Amino acid sequence: MTRSAADEHRIVARVFTDRVRGADPKAWDNPAPCEGWVARDVVRHLVEWLPDFLKAGAGVELPKGPSVDDDPVAAWATHRDGVQALLDDPATAHKLLSNPHIGEIPLDQAVDRFYTADVLMHTWDLSRATGQDEHLDPARCAQLLDGMLPLDDVLRASGQYGPRVEVPESVDVQTRLLAFIGRKP
């Protein structure tokens, strides 16, 4: 059974939300696995890139919350709720997002493919930075990795992923995914 983009976001964002809420307030400046980032930068990245992507590609504006520097928990909650409202709106499935790199794609599919997948991967980054449970759903990891493997050259060329880390094939799917995107789990 395939979940809707709204349902998938709801599930993935819930886990990220648990990590955001579970972060010790003193942990927001801990180093994150993304080079040069601290824990709050993981939240900042998710809160800041999608609004510009949606506005440029579909004329959609998400609500703005407080600064991640002032309140990362509230900044994430405002952003998450705005994305969820967009995906829950029945009209969203009939809107297109246009982007010079990907062409035209249904808006809900674009959010699912590019953003919700990003939330899943960055859940591990935030978990690692804040000393929380790093476990990701194996089925989601497998699905994401299977979709990314054929795009290896394209993904590396985008500059959005670090060099692939070699790991034995016998490791679990989460470790394979993280290594694929350049993390050292």
mmCIF file of all heavy atoms in Angstrom, residues 79-117:
data_model
loop_
_atom_site.group_PDB
_atom_site.id
_atom_site.type_symbol
_atom_site.label_atom_id
_atom_site.label_comp_id
_atom_site.label_asym_id
_atom_site.label_seq_id
_atom_site.Cartn_x
_atom_site.Cartn_y
_atom_site.Cartn_z
ATOM 1 N N HIS A 79 6.982 25.447 10.854
ATOM 2 C CA HIS A 79 7.301 24.974 9.514
ATOM 3 C C HIS A 79 6.606 23.641 9.226
ATOM 4 O O HIS A 79 5.954 23.483 8.187
ATOM 5 C CB HIS A 79 8.819 24.842 9.376
ATOM 6 C CG HIS A 79 9.246 24.282 8.078
ATOM 7 N ND1 HIS A 79 9.225 24.998 6.906
ATOM 8 C CD2 HIS A 79 9.693 23.052 7.746
ATOM 9 C CE1 HIS A 79 9.644 24.236 5.919
ATOM 10 N NE2 HIS A 79 9.938 23.055 6.400
ATOM 11 N N ARG A 80 6.748 22.698 10.138
ATOM 12 C CA ARG A 80 6.128 21.376 9.967
ATOM 13 C C ARG A 80 4.629 21.498 9.755
ATOM 14 O O ARG A 80 4.061 20.876 8.867
ATOM 15 C CB ARG A 80 6.417 20.520 11.205
ATOM 16 C CG ARG A 80 5.750 19.153 11.192
ATOM 17 C CD ARG A 80 5.495 18.608 12.587
ATOM 18 N NE ARG A 80 4.663 19.514 13.340
ATOM 19 C CZ ARG A 80 4.811 19.765 14.646
ATOM 20 N NH1 ARG A 80 5.760 19.197 15.338
ATOM 21 N NH2 ARG A 80 3.988 20.590 15.254
ATOM 22 N N ASP A 81 3.981 22.305 10.572
ATOM 23 C CA ASP A 81 2.532 22.473 10.453
ATOM 24 C C ASP A 81 2.144 23.113 9.123
ATOM 25 O O ASP A 81 1.121 22.755 8.526
ATOM 26 C CB ASP A 81 1.992 23.305 11.620
ATOM 27 C CG ASP A 81 2.099 22.584 12.954
ATOM 28 O OD1 ASP A 81 2.394 21.358 12.984
ATOM 29 O OD2 ASP A 81 1.902 23.253 13.994
ATOM 30 N N GLY A 82 2.961 24.051 8.641
ATOM 31 C CA GLY A 82 2.683 24.666 7.343
ATOM 32 C C GLY A 82 2.805 23.671 6.202
ATOM 33 O O GLY A 82 1.964 23.654 5.295
ATOM 34 N N VAL A 83 3.832 22.833 6.250
ATOM 35 C CA VAL A 83 4.002 21.807 5.214
ATOM 36 C C VAL A 83 2.854 20.810 5.284
ATOM 37 O O VAL A 83 2.287 20.426 4.258
ATOM 38 C CB VAL A 83 5.364 21.097 5.359
ATOM 39 C CG1 VAL A 83 5.468 19.914 4.400
ATOM 40 C CG2 VAL A 83 6.510 22.072 5.129
ATOM 41 N N GLN A 84 2.482 20.418 6.499
ATOM 42 C CA GLN A 84 1.400 19.443 6.636
ATOM 43 C C GLN A 84 0.087 20.011 6.121
ATOM 44 O O GLN A 84 -0.665 19.323 5.431
ATOM 45 C CB GLN A 84 1.259 18.986 8.095
ATOM 46 C CG GLN A 84 0.411 17.752 8.249
ATOM 47 C CD GLN A 84 1.029 16.544 7.546
ATOM 48 O OE1 GLN A 84 2.159 16.181 7.796
ATOM 49 N NE2 GLN A 84 0.277 15.933 6.640
ATOM 50 N N ALA A 85 -0.189 21.273 6.425
ATOM 51 C CA ALA A 85 -1.423 21.903 5.929
ATOM 52 C C ALA A 85 -1.421 21.945 4.398
ATOM 53 O O ALA A 85 -2.457 21.690 3.763
ATOM 54 C CB ALA A 85 -1.566 23.310 6.503
ATOM 55 N N LEU A 86 -0.283 22.247 3.808
ATOM 56 C CA LEU A 86 -0.177 22.261 2.349
ATOM 57 C C LEU A 86 -0.488 20.876 1.779
ATOM 58 O O LEU A 86 -1.263 20.735 0.837
ATOM 59 C CB LEU A 86 1.235 22.694 1.936
ATOM 60 C CG LEU A 86 1.552 22.626 0.449
ATOM 61 C CD1 LEU A 86 0.739 23.663 -0.334
ATOM 62 C CD2 LEU A 86 3.049 22.824 0.214
ATOM 63 N N LEU A 87 0.100 19.844 2.376
ATOM 64 C CA LEU A 87 -0.103 18.482 1.871
ATOM 65 C C LEU A 87 -1.509 17.957 2.152
ATOM 66 O O LEU A 87 -2.026 17.135 1.394
ATOM 67 C CB LEU A 87 0.948 17.541 2.460
ATOM 68 C CG LEU A 87 2.381 17.796 1.988
ATOM 69 C CD1 LEU A 87 3.363 16.943 2.768
ATOM 70 C CD2 LEU A 87 2.513 17.566 0.490
ATOM 71 N N ASP A 88 -2.112 18.403 3.237
ATOM 72 C CA ASP A 88 -3.478 17.977 3.566
ATOM 73 C C ASP A 88 -4.538 18.669 2.714
ATOM 74 O O ASP A 88 -5.669 18.196 2.617
ATOM 75 C CB ASP A 88 -3.782 18.234 5.050
ATOM 76 C CG ASP A 88 -3.085 17.252 5.982
ATOM 77 O OD1 ASP A 88 -2.722 16.141 5.531
ATOM 78 O OD2 ASP A 88 -2.912 17.598 7.168
ATOM 79 N N ASP A 89 -4.177 19.781 2.085
ATOM 80 C CA ASP A 89 -5.115 20.528 1.243
ATOM 81 C C ASP A 89 -5.363 19.740 -0.049
ATOM 82 O O ASP A 89 -4.433 19.496 -0.815
ATOM 83 C CB ASP A 89 -4.519 21.895 0.917
ATOM 84 C CG ASP A 89 -5.429 22.777 0.090
ATOM 85 O OD1 ASP A 89 -6.445 22.271 -0.468
ATOM 86 O OD2 ASP A 89 -5.131 23.973 -0.027
ATOM 87 N N PRO A 90 -6.614 19.338 -0.320
ATOM 88 C CA PRO A 90 -6.901 18.559 -1.532
ATOM 89 C C PRO A 90 -6.484 19.262 -2.824
ATOM 90 O O PRO A 90 -6.168 18.603 -3.814
ATOM 91 C CB PRO A 90 -8.419 18.360 -1.489
ATOM 92 C CG PRO A 90 -8.819 18.615 -0.087
ATOM 93 C CD PRO A 90 -7.799 19.558 0.497
ATOM 94 N N ALA A 91 -6.441 20.575 -2.822
ATOM 95 C CA ALA A 91 -6.064 21.318 -4.028
ATOM 96 C C ALA A 91 -4.589 21.133 -4.381
ATOM 97 O O ALA A 91 -4.200 21.277 -5.546
ATOM 98 C CB ALA A 91 -6.369 22.802 -3.845
ATOM 99 N N THR A 92 -3.765 20.788 -3.402
ATOM 100 C CA THR A 92 -2.327 20.646 -3.639
ATOM 101 C C THR A 92 -2.029 19.564 -4.673
ATOM 102 O O THR A 92 -1.124 19.718 -5.491
ATOM 103 C CB THR A 92 -1.588 20.361 -2.314
ATOM 104 O OG1 THR A 92 -1.770 21.494 -1.453
ATOM 105 C CG2 THR A 92 -0.102 20.136 -2.525
ATOM 106 N N ALA A 93 -2.782 18.483 -4.656
ATOM 107 C CA ALA A 93 -2.546 17.384 -5.599
ATOM 108 C C ALA A 93 -2.753 17.815 -7.052
ATOM 109 O O ALA A 93 -2.255 17.162 -7.973
ATOM 110 C CB ALA A 93 -3.458 16.202 -5.271
ATOM 111 N N HIS A 94 -3.436 18.926 -7.265
ATOM 112 C CA HIS A 94 -3.713 19.404 -8.625
ATOM 113 C C HIS A 94 -2.790 20.548 -9.041
ATOM 114 O O HIS A 94 -2.929 21.083 -10.137
ATOM 115 C CB HIS A 94 -5.173 19.835 -8.744
ATOM 116 C CG HIS A 94 -6.120 18.752 -8.332
ATOM 117 N ND1 HIS A 94 -6.317 17.607 -9.076
ATOM 118 C CD2 HIS A 94 -6.878 18.608 -7.221
ATOM 119 C CE1 HIS A 94 -7.176 16.818 -8.453
ATOM 120 N NE2 HIS A 94 -7.533 17.402 -7.331
ATOM 121 N N LYS A 95 -1.849 20.906 -8.154
ATOM 122 C CA LYS A 95 -0.899 21.972 -8.468
ATOM 123 C C LYS A 95 0.423 21.368 -8.930
ATOM 124 O O LYS A 95 0.792 20.270 -8.524
ATOM 125 C CB LYS A 95 -0.644 22.842 -7.224
ATOM 126 C CG LYS A 95 -1.852 23.633 -6.783
ATOM 127 C CD LYS A 95 -1.526 24.474 -5.560
ATOM 128 C CE LYS A 95 -2.761 25.246 -5.106
ATOM 129 N NZ LYS A 95 -2.519 25.993 -3.873
ATOM 130 N N LEU A 96 1.110 22.129 -9.759
ATOM 131 C CA LEU A 96 2.411 21.690 -10.242
ATOM 132 C C LEU A 96 3.507 22.567 -9.667
ATOM 133 O O LEU A 96 3.312 23.760 -9.432
ATOM 134 C CB LEU A 96 2.474 21.761 -11.763
ATOM 135 C CG LEU A 96 1.600 20.798 -12.544
ATOM 136 C CD1 LEU A 96 1.714 21.077 -14.042
ATOM 137 C CD2 LEU A 96 1.976 19.357 -12.235
ATOM 138 N N LEU A 97 4.666 21.957 -9.493
ATOM 139 C CA LEU A 97 5.866 22.694 -9.140
ATOM 140 C C LEU A 97 6.746 22.663 -10.386
ATOM 141 O O LEU A 97 6.924 21.604 -10.997
ATOM 142 C CB LEU A 97 6.594 22.048 -7.970
ATOM 143 C CG LEU A 97 7.865 22.790 -7.557
ATOM 144 C CD1 LEU A 97 7.872 23.013 -6.055
ATOM 145 C CD2 LEU A 97 9.108 22.048 -7.989
ATOM 146 N N SER A 98 7.256 23.807 -10.773
ATOM 147 C CA SER A 98 8.110 23.906 -11.952
ATOM 148 C C SER A 98 9.497 24.334 -11.504
ATOM 149 O O SER A 98 9.654 25.297 -10.746
ATOM 150 C CB SER A 98 7.526 24.942 -12.916
ATOM 151 O OG SER A 98 8.341 25.039 -14.053
ATOM 152 N N ASN A 99 10.496 23.571 -11.975
ATOM 153 C CA ASN A 99 11.871 23.835 -11.576
ATOM 154 C C ASN A 99 12.770 23.528 -12.774
ATOM 155 O O ASN A 99 12.565 22.505 -13.437
ATOM 156 C CB ASN A 99 12.224 22.949 -10.379
ATOM 157 C CG ASN A 99 13.640 23.141 -9.899
ATOM 158 O OD1 ASN A 99 14.560 22.624 -10.507
ATOM 159 N ND2 ASN A 99 13.796 23.849 -8.801
ATOM 160 N N PRO A 100 13.748 24.381 -13.054
ATOM 161 C CA PRO A 100 14.590 24.155 -14.233
ATOM 162 C C PRO A 100 15.379 22.847 -14.196
ATOM 163 O O PRO A 100 15.755 22.318 -15.232
ATOM 164 C CB PRO A 100 15.529 25.362 -14.258
ATOM 165 C CG PRO A 100 15.437 25.993 -12.925
ATOM 166 C CD PRO A 100 14.123 25.602 -12.339
ATOM 167 N N HIS A 101 15.610 22.301 -13.013
ATOM 168 C CA HIS A 101 16.397 21.074 -12.887
ATOM 169 C C HIS A 101 15.550 19.804 -12.970
ATOM 170 O O HIS A 101 16.050 18.755 -13.357
ATOM 171 C CB HIS A 101 17.187 21.071 -11.576
ATOM 172 C CG HIS A 101 18.082 22.246 -11.434
ATOM 173 N ND1 HIS A 101 19.230 22.409 -12.179
ATOM 174 C CD2 HIS A 101 17.993 23.354 -10.649
ATOM 175 C CE1 HIS A 101 19.806 23.552 -11.862
ATOM 176 N NE2 HIS A 101 19.085 24.142 -10.941
ATOM 177 N N ILE A 102 14.280 19.912 -12.593
ATOM 178 C CA ILE A 102 13.429 18.707 -12.547
ATOM 179 C C ILE A 102 12.205 18.797 -13.443
ATOM 180 O O ILE A 102 11.457 17.833 -13.560
ATOM 181 C CB ILE A 102 12.983 18.388 -11.097
ATOM 182 C CG1 ILE A 102 12.177 19.542 -10.499
ATOM 183 C CG2 ILE A 102 14.178 18.025 -10.243
ATOM 184 C CD1 ILE A 102 11.552 19.246 -9.151
ATOM 185 N N GLY A 103 11.987 19.942 -14.071
ATOM 186 C CA GLY A 103 10.807 20.110 -14.920
ATOM 187 C C GLY A 103 9.573 20.369 -14.087
ATOM 188 O O GLY A 103 9.650 20.950 -13.006
ATOM 189 N N GLU A 104 8.431 19.919 -14.579
ATOM 190 C CA GLU A 104 7.169 20.072 -13.850
ATOM 191 C C GLU A 104 6.818 18.754 -13.181
ATOM 192 O O GLU A 104 6.915 17.693 -13.802
ATOM 193 C CB GLU A 104 6.045 20.510 -14.787
ATOM 194 C CG GLU A 104 6.156 21.954 -15.184
ATOM 195 C CD GLU A 104 4.896 22.462 -15.880
ATOM 196 O OE1 GLU A 104 4.085 21.657 -16.380
ATOM 197 O OE2 GLU A 104 4.737 23.699 -15.908
ATOM 198 N N ILE A 105 6.392 18.860 -11.952
ATOM 199 C CA ILE A 105 6.042 17.680 -11.163
ATOM 200 C C ILE A 105 4.884 18.069 -10.253
ATOM 201 O O ILE A 105 4.824 19.210 -9.779
ATOM 202 C CB ILE A 105 7.270 17.187 -10.364
ATOM 203 C CG1 ILE A 105 6.972 15.910 -9.587
ATOM 204 C CG2 ILE A 105 7.813 18.240 -9.459
ATOM 205 C CD1 ILE A 105 8.212 15.265 -8.967
ATOM 206 N N PRO A 106 3.934 17.161 -10.000
ATOM 207 C CA PRO A 106 2.870 17.491 -9.052
ATOM 208 C C PRO A 106 3.473 17.954 -7.722
ATOM 209 O O PRO A 106 4.444 17.362 -7.220
ATOM 210 C CB PRO A 106 2.106 16.171 -8.908
ATOM 211 C CG PRO A 106 2.322 15.470 -10.223
ATOM 212 C CD PRO A 106 3.743 15.826 -10.595
ATOM 213 N N LEU A 107 2.917 19.011 -7.189
ATOM 214 C CA LEU A 107 3.457 19.652 -5.990
ATOM 215 C C LEU A 107 3.601 18.675 -4.826
ATOM 216 O O LEU A 107 4.635 18.654 -4.156
ATOM 217 C CB LEU A 107 2.574 20.838 -5.596
ATOM 218 C CG LEU A 107 2.987 21.632 -4.366
ATOM 219 C CD1 LEU A 107 4.418 22.153 -4.488
ATOM 220 C CD2 LEU A 107 2.021 22.798 -4.151
ATOM 221 N N ASP A 108 2.574 17.864 -4.579
ATOM 222 C CA ASP A 108 2.666 16.942 -3.450
ATOM 223 C C ASP A 108 3.782 15.922 -3.640
ATOM 224 O O ASP A 108 4.503 15.582 -2.700
ATOM 225 C CB ASP A 108 1.323 16.258 -3.161
ATOM 226 C CG ASP A 108 0.768 15.461 -4.324
ATOM 227 O OD1 ASP A 108 1.197 15.664 -5.480
ATOM 228 O OD2 ASP A 108 -0.134 14.637 -4.081
ATOM 229 N N GLN A 109 3.991 15.475 -4.881
ATOM 230 C CA GLN A 109 5.077 14.531 -5.164
ATOM 231 C C GLN A 109 6.439 15.196 -4.999
ATOM 232 O O GLN A 109 7.395 14.564 -4.538
ATOM 233 C CB GLN A 109 4.930 13.964 -6.569
ATOM 234 C CG GLN A 109 3.756 13.031 -6.718
ATOM 235 C CD GLN A 109 3.626 12.529 -8.154
ATOM 236 O OE1 GLN A 109 4.604 12.451 -8.890
ATOM 237 N NE2 GLN A 109 2.406 12.192 -8.538
ATOM 238 N N ALA A 110 6.548 16.448 -5.389
ATOM 239 C CA ALA A 110 7.812 17.175 -5.222
ATOM 240 C C ALA A 110 8.173 17.298 -3.746
ATOM 241 O O ALA A 110 9.323 17.064 -3.359
ATOM 242 C CB ALA A 110 7.715 18.554 -5.868
ATOM 243 N N VAL A 111 7.195 17.654 -2.926
ATOM 244 C CA VAL A 111 7.452 17.773 -1.486
ATOM 245 C C VAL A 111 7.869 16.417 -0.925
ATOM 246 O O VAL A 111 8.836 16.310 -0.162
ATOM 247 C CB VAL A 111 6.223 18.336 -0.744
ATOM 248 C CG1 VAL A 111 6.421 18.279 0.770
ATOM 249 C CG2 VAL A 111 5.940 19.772 -1.190
ATOM 250 N N ASP A 112 7.165 15.376 -1.323
ATOM 251 C CA ASP A 112 7.475 14.038 -0.830
ATOM 252 C C ASP A 112 8.876 13.605 -1.252
ATOM 253 O O ASP A 112 9.676 13.156 -0.432
ATOM 254 C CB ASP A 112 6.435 13.047 -1.343
ATOM 255 C CG ASP A 112 6.597 11.655 -0.779
ATOM 256 O OD1 ASP A 112 6.646 11.516 0.458
ATOM 257 O OD2 ASP A 112 6.682 10.701 -1.571
ATOM 258 N N ARG A 113 9.164 13.741 -2.516
ATOM 259 C CA ARG A 113 10.422 13.233 -3.082
ATOM 260 C C ARG A 113 11.640 13.998 -2.587
ATOM 261 O O ARG A 113 12.670 13.407 -2.277
ATOM 262 C CB ARG A 113 10.359 13.307 -4.591
ATOM 263 C CG ARG A 113 11.551 12.639 -5.264
ATOM 264 C CD ARG A 113 11.478 12.690 -6.753
ATOM 265 N NE ARG A 113 10.235 12.121 -7.249
ATOM 266 C CZ ARG A 113 9.793 12.279 -8.488
ATOM 267 N NH1 ARG A 113 10.486 12.982 -9.355
ATOM 268 N NH2 ARG A 113 8.661 11.741 -8.868
ATOM 269 N N PHE A 114 11.540 15.310 -2.515
ATOM 270 C CA PHE A 114 12.721 16.109 -2.192
ATOM 271 C C PHE A 114 12.775 16.527 -0.729
ATOM 272 O O PHE A 114 13.851 16.547 -0.135
ATOM 273 C CB PHE A 114 12.804 17.336 -3.101
ATOM 274 C CG PHE A 114 12.888 16.954 -4.542
ATOM 275 C CD1 PHE A 114 11.805 17.137 -5.388
ATOM 276 C CD2 PHE A 114 14.030 16.371 -5.054
ATOM 277 C CE1 PHE A 114 11.870 16.764 -6.718
ATOM 278 C CE2 PHE A 114 14.109 15.987 -6.384
ATOM 279 C CZ PHE A 114 13.024 16.190 -7.221
ATOM 280 N N TYR A 115 11.659 16.885 -0.159
ATOM 281 C CA TYR A 115 11.671 17.416 1.204
ATOM 282 C C TYR A 115 11.482 16.337 2.261
ATOM 283 O O TYR A 115 12.283 16.240 3.197
ATOM 284 C CB TYR A 115 10.592 18.507 1.348
ATOM 285 C CG TYR A 115 10.461 18.963 2.761
ATOM 286 C CD1 TYR A 115 11.434 19.785 3.332
ATOM 287 C CD2 TYR A 115 9.394 18.551 3.549
ATOM 288 C CE1 TYR A 115 11.340 20.176 4.651
ATOM 289 C CE2 TYR A 115 9.297 18.950 4.865
ATOM 290 C CZ TYR A 115 10.271 19.754 5.415
ATOM 291 O OH TYR A 115 10.189 20.130 6.724
ATOM 292 N N THR A 116 10.435 15.529 2.159
ATOM 293 C CA THR A 116 10.189 14.521 3.198
ATOM 294 C C THR A 116 11.358 13.550 3.272
ATOM 295 O O THR A 116 11.773 13.151 4.361
ATOM 296 C CB THR A 116 8.851 13.795 2.960
ATOM 297 O OG1 THR A 116 7.800 14.778 2.933
ATOM 298 C CG2 THR A 116 8.559 12.796 4.067
ATOM 299 N N ALA A 117 11.927 13.201 2.130
ATOM 300 C CA ALA A 117 13.123 12.352 2.128
ATOM 301 C C ALA A 117 14.269 13.036 2.861
ATOM 302 O O ALA A 117 15.024 12.401 3.605
ATOM 303 C CB ALA A 117 13.523 12.013 0.692
#
